[in-house]
Amino acid sequence: QGQMTEAGGGSVQAGGSLRLSCATSGFTWKTYCLAWFRQAPGKEREEVAVIDYDATTSYADSVKGRFTVSKDNAKKTLYLEMNGLKSEDTAMYYCAAAIRCDWLVDHGYWGQGTQVTVSS
């Protein structure tokens, strides 16, 4: 059973930066698709950034050029570097993993989330 544990959330002023991390265990890291999602109160969950097993990345339009997803294969840890934060980035951020990227929502392993709050 996969385990995902997020860390690094917090409160920051607009324009600031945060780096989220997601420690993982219990699955074959090298073959999995990994991703960050977020959900703000009253809003639908949004896929923020994806990094596939071959390091191919994709981003939501709302974060392109500001956020960078990466992974450390040796540490089995996923990261999300967030720069130029805006108040609309305020949300609970979750990491997820699945054998296929299109399986993340329905069949993925998920963490408990870490809160990011951006004040303007």
Side-chain angles (χ1 to χ4, degrees):
Q1 184 72 14
Q3 300 286 331
M4 317 281 287
T5 305
E6 301 96 340
S11 297
V12 64
Q13 289 192 329
S17 299
L18 282 173
R19 188 192 196 204
L20 306 183
S21 63
C22 174
T24 77
S25 64
F27 60 91
T28 310
W29 168 268
K30 290 183 179 180
T31 63
Y32 269 61
C33 177
L34 307 165
W36 290 96
F37 289 78
R38 67 185 180 187
Q39 188 165 23
K43 295 188 176 181
E44 292 187 356
R45 181 173 51 194
E46 176 186 22
E47 182 181 275
V48 175
V50 178
I51 183 165
D52 209 343
Y53 72 97
D54 60 356
T56 302
T57 59
S58 63
Y59 297 90
D61 288 343
S62 58
V63 307
K64 278 182 182 176
R66 300 188 298 122
F67 290 12
T68 302
V69 62
S70 63
K71 59 179 179 173
D72 185 324
N73 289 332
K75 296 181 179 179
K76 296 185 178 181
T77 300
L78 175 70
Y79 300 98
L80 185 68
E81 186 75 34
M82 305 186 294
N83 298 312
L85 283 162
K86 305 175 180 180
S87 57
E88 52 263 43
D89 294 319
T90 295
M92 185 71 79
Y93 283 71
Y94 301 89
C95 59
I99 192 67
R100 292 173 40 164
C101 293
D102 58 352
W103 285 11
L104 285 163
V105 172
D106 294 326
H107 304 291
Y109 300 124
W110 286 75
Q112 294 300 306
T114 186
Q115 178 68 37
V116 171
T117 302
V118 184
S119 58
S120 56

